[in-house]
Amino acid sequence: MKTTPIGFWVKTASLFLFRSGRSTVVLSLMVVAAVYTLIFLSSLAVGVNDAMIRNSVSLYSGHITGFSLSPWLKTDNLFVEGVVGVLKRISIPGILTYEGNIETVTLIGVNPSAELKRTAIWKKIIAGKYLQATEQAILLSQPLAERLKVKYGDVLYFSTGFEKNNLQLKLSGIYKTGIDQLDRGIAFCPLAEIADMHKIWSATIFLNEGVEPESVIAEYRRRLADTYHFKSWKELMPDLRQLIDLEYLSMGIVTVLVFGVVSLGIACAFVIFILKNLREYGIMKAMGVTTGEMTFLIVVEVVLMNLAAT
Amino acid sequence: MIELEKISKEFRSGRGYVRALTDVSFTLERGKTAAVVGKSGSGKTTLLNCIGGLERPEKGTVICFGADIYSLSAKKLSLFQRKNFGFVFQHGNLLSYLTVFENIAFPLWLNGIAEKQAQLRVKELLKKIGLSNAQAALPHELSGGEIQRVSAARAIAHSPRLLLADEPTASLDTVTGKNLIALMFEMGRNQGCTMVISTHDPEISRLADQIIQIKDGRVIKETA
């Protein structure tokens, strides 16, 4: 004597589920809610970290910074797969003076229109406006402007120590980022103003979402001379990396805990569902249904319900 | 032939160990009907469960149609039950998620009877129990008498060799009960079924070929 075919049990399980509609719907909704909660939590963890990275790199630093790049290297040479933008910057240390007030700064020459497209320093301006390529202007942080006692429209002088390099710059705007590294000792001016003073430049590179900086750096190493140095945001902002690692760990723990609680909840709900039908299973057993067939019927019921919920 | 040889069964309850059956032995010829009579709690249901393979006795053997059912593996016992046994329970015990038609067809499907043949058989039985118009009804839509009639039809559907009925009329009024018994005897005898019915109704026991009277789990009288 053979056992009954699988199709019969699938049909029986479907009838059981269909005719105990309310329990099936409630249980299916429970599974749906649980699965969505887990998806939401995982997405939240990934989304929060992505947003943190995006906000940090888009403010100023980019995903990768290339140092000590020679004048012969063009920005176009740095466009490899995954790169969406390359900003050229020239940094010169010097002295800023205004009516007897002196501050040492690193003056960074930038391409204003390109910076506006890729970075978010302009969003941090609290007085005046961002630089324009045609203006002989300077952008200062609020602490620096306070120490120099300058206000929007004042004219400052920048010197590298050599008389011939004296630059007259009008204060176009004052920014405040709240980040110590950017608010102290840095000033910005259009690239054209200092292009003749210093030829070695640095590159700020922006990547497509999901592209790992390490793979792009490896590509640069393969293509370009060893004298060029490239660092990812992870190396340049180790504190941010630690924060993100910590965030991943804590969200991971929360997700595992939620997963455990949700799984237990669903398992209990299924056990209750099975216990509710215990009488039916008992009657079937008395009619000669084998333990294997009974187990199969219960498994099919649970699978069908999960399929419906999915 | 059904042969019971000194079967004993004990239960553990809040009141300690309760001996439900003690050294019960009897033989029932093939095609004959036995009525197990006795007061409530005398062990009638346990005896039927032991014969039907639902409760394993601690001692003794139950031989049904040449097979010592408790020496079979669990799977073989289930397969033996589905082919050879039919049960009518005290409260019908229909599968509540299946319709009347599906409940009667269930043992046929279980035994691998072809769909067309099963349908014919179910229709024939529905006609016999007078419920042709209720084939799509679910058990909760039926009266007590109708449930028991469906239960009897389900028990007999696959033409089992042994029909076990545990106080099938207990939850019914006298007239409905009489009709059900008449129906069961008619269907059972037509198919050459061996029947064991537990009851405390003397009218039912009078219809049986053999009466087994039990008290406190022991057979006190056996009348052929």
Side-chain angles (χ1 to χ4, degrees):
Chain A
M1 173 111 193
K2 283 181 188 173
T3 48
T4 317
I6 288 170
F8 168 73
W9 296 112
V10 175
K11 187 181 156 192
T12 308
S14 311
L15 284 173
F16 267 48
L17 291 179
F18 184 70
R19 291 192 184 139
S20 56
R22 266 183 294 186
S23 329
T24 308
V25 167
V26 168
L27 207 49
S28 299
L29 284 177
M30 199 173 163
V31 175
V32 169
V35 170
Y36 271 96
T37 306
L38 288 176
I39 292 172
F40 173 75
L41 270 179
S42 316
S43 309
L44 188 70
V46 174
V48 164
N49 291 333
D50 280 355
M52 219 156 32
I53 296 166
R54 199 168 44 243
N55 290 343
S56 300
V57 300
S58 70
L59 181 64
Y60 177 71
S61 68
H63 293 92
I64 298 171
T65 304
F67 299 97
S68 309
L69 305 178
S70 79
W72 296 282
L73 187 71
K74 304 292 171 205
T75 52
D76 288 350
N77 298 128
L78 299 176
F79 274 96
V80 296
E81 202 180 331
V83 173
V84 286
V86 177
L87 300 180
K88 184 176 181 177
R89 288 171 184 166
I90 290 175
S91 306
I92 303 174
I95 296 162
L96 265 181
T97 55
Y98 176 71
E99 291 182 350
N101 298 318
I102 301 171
E103 283 292 328
T104 55
V105 294
T106 300
L107 186 62
I108 299 171
V110 295
N111 179 344
S113 57
E115 293 278 340
L116 276 171
K117 222 192 282 180
R118 293 274 167 222
T119 65
I121 287 278
W122 61 272
K123 287 182 187 169
K124 305 291 178 184
I125 288 174
I126 55 169
K129 58 179 174 45
Y130 192 68
L131 301 167
Q132 284 183 355
T134 51
E135 268 184 349
Q136 201 171 331
I138 190 166
L139 185 72
L140 290 185
S141 67
Q142 189 193 32
L144 199 56
E146 277 173 2
R147 283 201 297 276
L148 287 166
K149 294 187 174 66
V150 288
K151 55 187 185 304
Y152 169 64
D154 290 343
V155 176
L156 298 94
Y157 292 92
F158 174 77
S159 165
T160 58
F162 301 103
E163 201 58 38
K164 62 172 185 172
N165 283 343
N166 265 356
L167 257 180
Q168 189 180 316
L169 300 160
K170 189 179 163 190
L171 183 59
S172 78
I174 297 169
Y175 69 87
K176 187 185 176 188
T177 63
I179 300 166
D180 206 41
Q181 285 162 302
L182 292 175
D183 285 349
R184 282 180 195 276
I186 289 180
F188 297 96
C189 73
L191 194 60
E193 302 304 321
I194 56 170
D196 294 334
M197 292 173 152
H198 198 64
K199 300 292 180 192
I200 302 298
W201 60 286
S202 64
T204 298
I205 298 152
F206 292 87
L207 306 178
N208 259 324
E209 218 161 287
V211 176
E212 280 298 319
E214 287 75 17
S215 64
V216 176
I217 291 173
E219 182 64 16
Y220 287 153
R221 285 199 183 121
R222 203 175 60 77
R223 287 188 185 194
L224 306 171
D226 290 343
T227 48
Y228 302 141
H229 298 293
F230 292 93
K231 284 187 176 178
S232 73
W233 65 266
K234 292 174 192 171
E235 292 169 276
L236 293 169
M237 294 185 274
D239 44 350
L240 177 67
R241 190 190 179 164
Q242 274 185 348
L243 190 68
I244 285 166
D245 287 347
L246 190 70
E247 177 82 6
Y248 266 123
L249 183 72
S250 56
M251 284 306 277
I253 292 169
V254 170
T255 309
V256 166
L257 285 176
V258 170
F259 186 79
V261 171
V262 165
S263 306
L264 199 67
I266 292 175
C268 286
F270 277 117
V271 168
I272 291 167
F273 182 80
I274 290 163
L275 290 177
K276 190 174 83 78
N277 291 329
L278 211 56
R279 178 187 160 275
E280 313 288 320
Y281 303 136
I283 296 166
M284 286 192 199
K285 198 85 185 71
M287 290 165 79
V289 173
T290 65
T291 309
E293 288 171 331
M294 194 67 72
T295 310
F296 183 71
L297 175 72
I298 293 168
V299 169
V300 170
E301 281 178 6
V302 172
V303 168
L304 284 178
M305 211 176 314
N306 278 300
L307 279 177
T310 312
Chain B
M1 193 199 279
I2 311 293
E3 289 173 83
L4 272 73
E5 182 70 31
K6 289 192 171 179
I7 62 163
S8 297
K9 177 76 187 169
E10 228 177 36
F11 291 108
R12 205 170 70 171
S13 75
R15 287 180 283 182
Y17 282 95
V18 177
R19 191 163 273 277
L21 295 174
T22 310
D23 293 333
V24 174
S25 303
F26 70 86
T27 305
L28 180 64
E29 292 297 324
R30 193 175 182 157
K32 299 284 181 189
T33 305
V36 179
V37 295
K39 283 182 184 168
S40 184
S42 58
K44 299 188 295 294
T45 301
T46 309
L47 177 62
L48 258 71
N49 288 347
C50 285
I51 299 170
L54 303 182
E55 279 176 40
R56 181 181 289 270
E58 274 91 43
K59 280 200 300 185
T61 52
V62 179
I63 296 169
C64 294
F65 314 109
D68 179 355
I69 59 169
Y70 291 107
S71 69
L72 299 173
S73 67
K75 188 179 176 182
K76 279 187 177 162
L77 175 60
S78 291
L79 297 177
F80 187 84
Q81 281 173 312
R82 79 166 60 165
K83 188 171 186 287
N84 297 294
F85 296 165
F87 275 97
V88 181
F89 298 97
Q90 202 168 335
H91 301 288
N93 281 355
L94 298 182
L95 293 165
S96 54
Y97 299 122
L98 300 184
T99 61
V100 166
F101 186 97
E102 289 158 351
N103 260 290
I104 298 173
F106 196 84
L108 298 168
W109 291 334
L110 212 53
N111 280 290
I113 309 291
E115 186 60 32
K116 212 167 185 178
Q117 217 177 323
Q119 279 192 13
L120 285 173
R121 175 72 172 147
V122 175
K123 279 179 184 162
E124 177 201 332
L125 287 167
L126 279 168
K127 203 173 166 188
K128 205 165 265 181
I129 62 172
L131 286 173
S132 295
N133 58 347
Q135 61 171 14
L138 287 167
H140 69 264
E141 297 166 316
L142 304 176
S143 69
E146 287 172 333
I147 287 174
Q148 285 303 69
R149 275 190 278 163
V150 176
S151 183
R154 181 183 66 180
I156 213 96
H158 55 301
S159 307
R161 291 203 275 178
L162 175 64
L163 179 66
L164 295 154
D166 183 15
E167 299 194 44
T169 59
S171 57
L172 304 177
D173 61 80
T174 319
V175 180
T176 317
K178 261 186 183 171
N179 290 340
L180 178 76
I181 290 298
L183 185 75
M184 274 175 54
F185 272 78
E186 185 205 332
M187 290 195 296
R189 282 184 173 150
N190 282 349
Q191 291 183 48
C193 233
T194 309
M195 289 194 281
V196 181
I197 300 175
S198 80
T199 182
H200 37 228
D201 184 344
E203 277 195 45
I204 298 172
S205 54
R206 267 199 291 275
L207 295 167
D209 303 308
Q210 195 172 330
I211 300 169
I212 296 145
Q213 202 170 346
I214 60 170
K215 188 182 175 186
D216 299 330
R218 291 175 189 273
V219 176
I220 54 165
K221 195 177 175 187
E222 197 180 339
T223 323

